[in-house]
Amino acid sequence: MTTPPAYRGRIAPSPTGFLHRGHAATFHAAHERARAAKGTLVFRIEDLDPQRSRAVYAQAALEDLRAAGIFWQEGPDVGGPFAPYVQSQRKNFYLAAWKKLRDGGFIYPCARSRKDVQNATQAPHAEDDAEPIFPTQWRVDTAEALKHETPAGVNWRFKVPNGETIKFNDALQGEQAFEAGKDFGDFLVWRRDDVPAYELAVVVDDAAMRITEVVRGADLLKSTARQLLLYRALGLQPPGFFHCPLVLDEHGKRLSKRAGATLLNPARVG
Ligand code: GLU
């Protein structure tokens, strides 16, 4: 009998604003799950978007979480064998994954803009995370991909297996199922401004950091289905998932980083 790998969790804020109570609830859960399993918690800064990320928010996140009693064993301020833990310093890992996906025929270069997609599709349903589905007639033959030595200059999309239902068992929310091509379409893995997309970066990092359970907000449930397709395409073993309920404000709206009163540390001024 083989022993299962020791628990490794992570907290992975995007430094695009000060943390609010919703983040705190999720990160508390991540901390608690790792502690209960006598595991390791990794802190990773998801600062790939140069337009929105600020060093001051990354620093504030480290301080506010420590002040809230959340501690981690690996991360930018404690070091460790898998450093760096700052996504903007990990471009080579993402590039290697992009090459693998390109060579495997999983992705294609796409010249359509977000506006094109919006114009071509019907208005999405009222659900929070509804999104326009990328029209399949705009797919580009994946053979085109091999003409590109590097990803920069054009968007790259993952060709989803239309009609396949992606299932997973969430440790908190139970059985989940999303249909490729219906619940989500061909999604971005790399942006034309040479920034790896969230879905790709998070899969590469969770695998490289040997994360055994991902604890995050329920707004990312559908993203998990996309990410499972990436794990499969890259030949990587996916972790388990635990999606926390979203914290809502008194009007039933999701908390936003701009809502000052709900900040984890109210002394921060947005
Ligand atoms: N960086 C993402 C956020 O702050 C979380 C990503 C994840 O946990 O997978 O919303």
Side-chain angles (χ1 to χ4, degrees), residues 105-108 131 133-136 139-140 142 157-166 178-189 199 222-223 225-230 232-233:
F106 292 105
I107 56 173
Y108 59 89
E131 57 172 33
I133 305 289
F134 187 80
T136 45
R139 279 182 173 166
V140 174
T142 51
R157 286 184 186 274
F158 185 93
K159 192 170 152 193
V160 304
N162 280 336
E164 183 181 333
T165 301
I166 317 299
F178 295 97
E179 187 181 325
K182 181 164 162 272
D183 293 319
F184 62 93
D186 292 0
F187 58 90
L188 279 184
V189 292
E199 309 286 10
K222 196 195 284 182
S223 269
R226 299 185 187 97
Q227 289 169 24
L228 286 170
L229 290 174
L230 284 173
R232 186 166 81 189

Side-chain angles (χ1 to χ4, degrees), residues 117-195:
V117 182
Q118 262 155 10
N119 290 342
T121 49
Q122 290 172 341
H125 312 287
E127 315 150 29
D128 248 357
D129 59 347
E131 57 172 33
I133 305 289
F134 187 80
T136 45
Q137 69 270 23
W138 288 352
R139 279 182 173 166
V140 174
D141 193 320
T142 51
E144 271 298 305
L146 294 170
K147 297 184 185 154
H148 293 251
E149 275 304 307
T150 59
V154 66
N155 285 324
W156 289 80
R157 286 184 186 274
F158 185 93
K159 192 170 152 193
V160 304
N162 280 336
E164 183 181 333
T165 301
I166 317 299
K167 293 188 184 151
F168 61 97
N169 192 1
D170 187 89
L172 184 64
Q173 317 266 350
E175 283 296 333
Q176 304 292 315
F178 295 97
E179 187 181 325
K182 181 164 162 272
D183 293 319
F184 62 93
D186 292 0
F187 58 90
L188 279 184
V189 292
W190 207 281
R191 291 172 14 181
R192 54 186 304 189
D193 55 354
D194 206 18
V195 174

Side-chain angles (χ1 to χ4, degrees), residues 24-83:
T26 300
F27 296 152
H28 262 300
H31 183 245
E32 208 30 52
R33 300 276 298 169
R35 202 190 54 79
K38 296 192 174 42
T40 300
L41 194 59
V42 175
F43 185 104
R44 180 171 77 226
I45 294 178
E46 304 214 318
D47 62 343
L48 280 175
D49 190 335
Q51 253 97 54
R52 299 176 60 226
S53 303
R54 300 275 178 276
V56 60
Y57 294 135
Q59 186 55 35
L62 290 165
E63 290 169 12
D64 291 354
L65 288 170
R66 289 243 188 262
I70 294 174
F71 296 96
W72 49 93
Q73 291 73 44
E74 293 175 25
D77 54 345
V78 284
F82 302 101

Side-chain angles (χ1 to χ4, degrees), residues 10 12-14 23 46 198 202 214-216 220 227 257:
R10 55 29 161 217
S14 303
H23 299 113
E46 304 214 318
Y198 158 71
V202 86
V214 165
V215 176
R216 61 184 170 202
L220 290 169
Q227 289 169 24
K257 282 182 173 156

